[in-house]
Amino acid sequence: MHDNSMWLTIMGILIIGSIVGLLIAKKISPVVGMILIPSVGALILGYGIGDLVKFFNSGLESVINVVIMFIFAIIFFGLMTDSGLFKPIVKRLILMTRGNVVIVSIITAVIGMFAQLDGAGAVTFLLSIPALLPLYKALNMNKYLLILLLAISAAIMNMVPWGGPMARIASVLKAKSVNELWYGLIPVQIIGFILVLIFATYLGFREQKRIKKAIDKGELEPTIDIDIHKLVRNYERDQDIKFPVRGRAVKHGWVIWVNMLLTFLVILMMLTNIAPPEFAFMIGVAVALIINFPNVDDQMNRLKAHAPNALMMAAVIIAAGMFLGVLNETGMLKAIATNLIKIIPDAVGPYLHIIVGIFGVPLDLLTSTDAYYFALLPIVEQTASQFGVNPVSTAYSMVIGNIVGTFVSPFSPALWLAIGLAEANMGTYIKYAFFWIWGFAIVLLIIAMLIGTVTI
């Protein structure tokens, strides 16, 4: 059996490494990579086609809700954009931030924190990206900066008890109450928020410099010095080109208000758990089509217009289901987690939880969140407690080290959603964001040790 787990580990690392590597090198499309590479890996290990079908079914179960949500969410926000709902919002934002790149960065981080209050990453990206992306485009800002700022601020907020990681820890530590576990992390969370704002400010200045350089080289048209109203006019002109009047939404003043109310209700249904997101968006799409496009042909045309986006991302997520199914069901993720610990020398014992915490973000690329908390945490916790480390301290170290990396891993369906909404590329994003996120996690972990949340 020991031998077997070694093979599983090696194959698992090969599969993940090659997918991440090829995505970053842009040598492979996500759909091809996540379907073929794990399948070939499993076949090499001696699993048959029947096994692959089982793996796929189990992986599909874990992502199917996300797929449905994806399809309808992307169509829903597409219809709202068609109807001009985001125009006034973006206009307000441009006027409010005075087109200042640094202020936009800070506002992005704040929006990320508040949007994540419900503990669902997907909802955060659904709320923020459609509204902020046009603003980023209007100011020539990098859309990868948008995803990175939302990812970090949402991840810090995700320490709340109703976020995924805390619930997983509570079940592993058999804690009586998730809330009590969370109280210990509140100081780290508050410091995390302050750090996020400082970080957003720094990245904002960096982005401003980059844009200024590009303008000096003549690669971009200057936006910094022109008056803010011209910026708004440019944005509106751009919108008019993209959404010409034919086949356009009903043009009554009241329609905008109805759309606002509809969007608000859809979001409210998700936030209050009256209905799951996929259901809320499905109903939302149907109602939006009736309100904005009474003509049946128009309805079909709008669906056709948004279908490519929605289907492309749905295909990616279903492929991710295959990837997750193979790695989970064959036990590769678990094997990676258990074998990582075996190679660590004894002298390291008392610091084990901190070392694992420091590597929390790269481990997020190797193990899914479930594998990290359900397979790796128990082993680290048992090993470290033999050296007298408090289990809670171990859990904290692993959460702080890993949670910031939640949205940099190809295992996160919510991140695929963000990539889809921002029309971005996963490989480029990992390359852009990985070291920022890892650095941020390490700084936060060091602070947690200094204030005594994590002890040795």
Side-chain angles (χ1 to χ4, degrees):
M1 184 60 224
H2 170 69
D3 196 12
N4 189 13
S5 105
M6 208 58 233
W7 281 121
L8 284 175
T9 304
I10 293 166
M11 186 55 79
I13 289 177
L14 277 176
I15 291 175
I16 297 164
S18 47
I19 291 177
V20 174
L22 290 166
L23 281 179
I24 290 177
K26 292 195 180 152
K27 288 278 181 267
I28 202 166
S29 76
V31 174
V32 175
M34 290 194 296
I35 293 174
L36 287 185
I37 297 175
S39 303
V40 171
L43 292 172
I44 292 172
L45 286 176
Y47 290 97
I49 296 289
D51 296 318
L52 281 180
V53 174
K54 279 199 204 91
F55 301 156
F56 172 64
N57 286 338
S58 120
L60 189 62
E61 264 174 35
S62 65
V63 297
I64 190 71
N65 292 359
V66 181
V67 173
I68 300 169
M69 175 185 76
F70 237 115
I71 295 175
F72 287 103
I74 287 179
I75 294 174
F76 180 78
F77 285 114
L79 293 174
M80 288 301 122
T81 311
D82 290 345
S83 75
L85 176 68
F86 295 118
K87 249 168 98 170
I89 299 175
V90 176
K91 212 164 129 179
R92 280 273 93 77
L93 280 170
I94 295 177
L95 290 169
M96 207 168 83
T97 56
R98 296 246 158 272
N100 182 324
V101 174
V102 182
I103 297 174
V104 172
S105 301
I106 296 169
I107 282 185
T108 305
V110 174
I111 289 175
M113 289 175 207
F114 282 109
Q116 184 66 27
L117 263 170
D118 68 323
V123 178
T124 303
F125 295 129
L126 286 167
L127 291 179
S128 6
I129 293 178
L132 289 169
L133 189 63
L135 176 64
Y136 272 65
K137 282 184 179 157
L139 295 173
N140 289 321
M141 289 171 72
N142 189 340
K143 58 188 171 192
Y144 293 102
L145 176 66
L146 165 63
I147 308 175
L148 170 64
L149 288 171
L150 288 174
I152 289 196
S153 47
I156 304 255
M157 180 56 85
N158 211 22
M159 290 181 190
V160 291
W162 52 92
M166 293 308 286
R168 290 182 176 93
I169 288 178
S171 66
V172 170
L173 295 183
K174 301 188 176 52
K176 287 190 180 55
S177 98
V178 189
N179 286 6
E180 272 172 37
L181 273 177
W182 175 52
Y183 296 147
L185 280 177
I186 293 177
V188 179
Q189 221 177 350
I190 293 169
I191 293 169
F193 289 141
I194 298 166
L195 277 182
V196 167
L197 296 177
I198 297 170
F199 183 62
T201 312
Y202 165 70
L203 285 182
F205 277 114
R206 202 166 148 265
E207 187 68 359
Q208 206 170 31
K209 261 204 204 113
R210 181 192 68 82
I211 296 170
K212 195 172 175 309
K213 255 198 202 129
I215 290 170
D216 292 344
K217 280 189 194 153
E219 291 164 11
L220 289 177
E221 286 196 6
T223 51
I224 293 179
D225 302 325
I226 52 172
D227 66 69
I228 194 79
H229 297 288
K230 188 170 168 201
L231 196 61
V232 172
R233 279 201 301 279
N234 284 352
Y235 166 69
E236 289 188 314
R237 199 177 58 229
D238 181 50
Q239 288 290 301
D240 288 338
I241 294 166
K242 274 198 198 122
F243 307 106
V245 179
R246 202 168 54 84
R248 211 212 233 162
V250 183
K251 274 283 155 268
H252 296 299
W254 56 267
V255 170
I256 278 278
W257 293 105
V258 176
N259 281 329
M260 258 176 167
L261 183 68
L262 178 63
T263 308
F264 176 71
L265 287 175
V266 167
I267 289 164
L268 195 70
M269 271 165 89
M270 293 191 301
L271 294 182
T272 50
N273 285 334
I274 294 174
E278 56 276 23
F279 179 83
F281 279 116
M282 205 165 71
I283 303 286
V285 165
V287 177
L289 282 171
I290 301 172
I291 299 171
N292 293 292
F293 305 97
N295 176 338
V296 176
D297 289 344
D298 284 347
Q299 290 180 5
M300 291 315 289
N301 284 337
R302 287 335 296 157
L303 281 176
K304 271 187 204 138
H306 299 297
N309 258 351
L311 279 181
M312 228 197 68
M313 287 319 293
V316 168
I317 294 286
I318 292 172
M322 181 75 192
F323 170 47
L324 287 170
V326 170
L327 282 136
N328 273 320
E329 295 296 308
T330 53
M332 286 182 205
L333 288 178
K334 213 167 174 172
I336 293 174
T338 36
N339 283 316
L340 275 174
I341 296 301
K342 286 184 187 151
I343 52 180
I344 291 176
D346 274 357
V348 178
Y351 312 106
L352 180 63
H353 58 307
I354 289 168
I355 291 165
V356 175
I358 286 174
F359 286 102
V361 172
L363 282 173
D364 221 44
L365 287 180
L366 281 184
T367 59
S368 65
T369 311
D370 281 337
Y372 183 83
Y373 289 111
F374 290 140
L376 195 54
L377 173 62
I379 304 159
V380 176
E381 185 258 312
Q382 282 157 19
T383 318
S385 62
Q386 287 165 13
F387 293 94
V389 178
N390 182 347
V392 175
S393 183
T394 304
Y396 284 167
S397 174
M398 285 183 63
V399 171
I400 295 165
N402 166 275
I403 202 160
V404 183
T406 312
F407 302 123
V408 73
S409 162
F411 285 111
S412 157
L415 179 60
W416 284 107
L417 177 64
I419 300 283
L421 290 169
E423 295 152 17
N425 171 294
M426 180 63 95
T428 315
Y429 169 69
I430 292 178
K431 204 159 87 181
Y432 178 87
F434 181 75
F435 286 105
W436 287 121
I437 286 183
W438 193 10
F440 193 91
I442 291 173
V443 170
L444 200 57
L445 185 59
I446 292 170
I447 290 175
M449 287 163 66
L450 291 175
I451 62 172
T453 304
V454 173
T455 51
I456 297 176

